[in-house]
Amino acid sequence: MDEQNKDGIEQQQEQTQAEVKPAGRFIQLKPFKFIMLMFFTILITAGLTIFALTFGEKKVVEVKVPIERAEFTKLYEAFDLLKNKYYKDIDDEKVVDGAINGMFEALDDPYSDFMVKDEAEQFNSGLSSSFQGIGAEIQERNGFITVVSPIKNSPAEKAGLLPQDIILTVDGKSIQGFSASEAVALIRGEKGTPVKLTVKRGENAEPIKMTIIRDEIPVETVYGEMLDGNIAHIQITSFSENTAAELEKMLADYEGKGMKGIVLDLRQNPGGYLKAAVEISNLFVPEGKVIVQVQEKDKEPEITKAVAGKKYNLPVTVLVDSGSASASEILAGALSESVGAKIVGEKSFGKGTVQNVAPLKDGSNLKFTTGKWLTPNGNWINEKGIEPDAKVPYPSYASLPYLDPSLEMKEGVQSDSVKAAQQMLEVLGYEPGEADGIFDRYTERAVKKLQAANGLEETGILTGDTTYALMDALRAKIKADDPQLLKAKELITGTPENTEETTN
């Protein structure tokens, strides 16, 4: 029995061993087969992937960068093609800047502009207390750089640069198609250095060549004088951060001297900060009345009303011309529609939009239009301007062209410059004979009279200091016989001014 049990046990062990062996062989083979299977799977997958990338759909290989916004697909494609297929290496930064410039050009908005770092620095310097240049506000219009207005007492003003002049070349280089920022970069420069401009004035006139010596341009924005009858004549040349404070100080001084009326002179004022125009308007507009409305995209106009504070409840007239733009027009519109002030002069420039400047990380700037502004009555003056209540043009001699002091005009010379000089001499009472552009003995005699009046050597030749003396005398006459200012004063006092011309 024990042997049977023993045999039974042995048989059970043999059966157990016989059952276990196949399982042992399966465990040993399974990992190897698995590994081999994975190896061949990976190999086949890699082969299929390479085949697909090489011979598959074109769209597979064109996805080179992750595109988060579909509208930039074309831009990425264009950049990649240039980067890989252009015949030489491209300047990545320059190409990207060019793409941004293209965006702004596509807006067809002369007041929106992309400024690279250097241009942005020059733009920002124009908002500081001073900068070095010729002192003229310019803008790009229809592919041309147009003068909005020269700054008071600047080299540009003294050289005779006028609103609406088109600058064709700078130092012999054509600037047609340039942005305003690009043109400024060429025109500005170190104090004491010359810049040569070719300027077109009017439709059919010959281009004018002028050399202007750059200078330090102080950003003084408020000038004043007390006229007869205690009428304050206050000229605001631009709207900076401190303009309102400058004006308040001057008005307080004149108030202490018995000021009875105010002529606000905004001629050739290209504008500036909207805030400054609102602060100045608040000195005259009664509390609660509208100063300006600003309307942004898809929004209702935001209305700015006058608040409590010091008010000057005196008769006011406002002088404007074709160089009065933007913030100047905001102030003129506010005083006209909310105060009843009379506007005198010529139609204003017509800039009815508001811009914002956004700096980028690399120092460049984006300046772009964010909305339009409306007068208190809801009028949009963009490209239309403000029509004066009393239209008074400048005298024709105020638009005579600049004379280049480096030119020598003497007997026998015939040119347009000679004709302009003869017209100036005639206006000043020096009797140069017929203004026909021919420098004759009568013109020579007139030049000698001019030289004698200014303590210069009587050569009869118009050049250098003699040319400067002629233009300075004409500028003084324009100021003394200012018909627009005389009319503005007349509307305050009710007394017509004597506008008879005088000669010296």
Side-chain angles (χ1 to χ4, degrees), residues 241-355:
E241 291 180 340
N242 299 321
T243 300
E246 290 179 45
L247 179 61
E248 287 187 78
K249 182 179 179 181
M250 184 171 289
L251 286 172
D253 180 51
Y254 285 161
E255 186 177 41
K257 295 177 180 178
M259 176 175 62
K260 295 181 179 179
I262 303 167
V263 176
L264 274 182
D265 193 341
L266 305 179
R267 292 176 295 181
Q268 299 190 34
N269 181 328
Y273 287 116
L274 170 64
K275 180 182 177 183
V278 170
E279 290 174 343
I280 292 171
S281 298
N282 200 67
L283 296 172
F284 302 95
V285 177
E287 182 181 356
K289 284 200 169 186
V290 178
I291 292 176
V292 68
Q293 305 181 50
V294 177
Q295 185 173 19
E296 296 182 353
K297 181 181 179 181
D298 299 328
K299 294 182 180 180
E300 290 297 314
E302 182 178 331
I303 299 174
T304 299
K305 296 182 179 181
V307 297
K310 173 66 177 178
K311 306 289 181 181
Y312 288 90
N313 299 311
L314 295 171
V316 178
T317 53
V318 183
L319 286 172
V320 299
D321 64 8
S322 60
S324 305
S326 190
S328 293
E329 295 170 300
I330 290 174
L331 177 56
L335 269 59
S336 173
E337 295 182 1
S338 290
V339 179
K342 297 297 183 183
I343 309 296
V344 179
E346 299 177 307
K347 186 173 71 172
S348 65
F349 183 81
K351 179 179 180 292
T353 55
V354 178
Q355 283 70 44

Side-chain angles (χ1 to χ4, degrees), residues 343-381:
I343 309 296
V344 179
E346 299 177 307
K347 186 173 71 172
S348 65
F349 183 81
K351 179 179 180 292
T353 55
V354 178
Q355 283 70 44
N356 184 37
V357 177
L360 301 182
K361 292 180 180 179
D362 67 347
S364 57
N365 275 355
L366 302 179
K367 179 169 75 74
F368 54 94
T369 300
T370 56
K372 60 184 182 181
W373 68 263
L374 312 172
T375 66
N377 293 342
N379 297 315
W380 194 36
I381 58 88

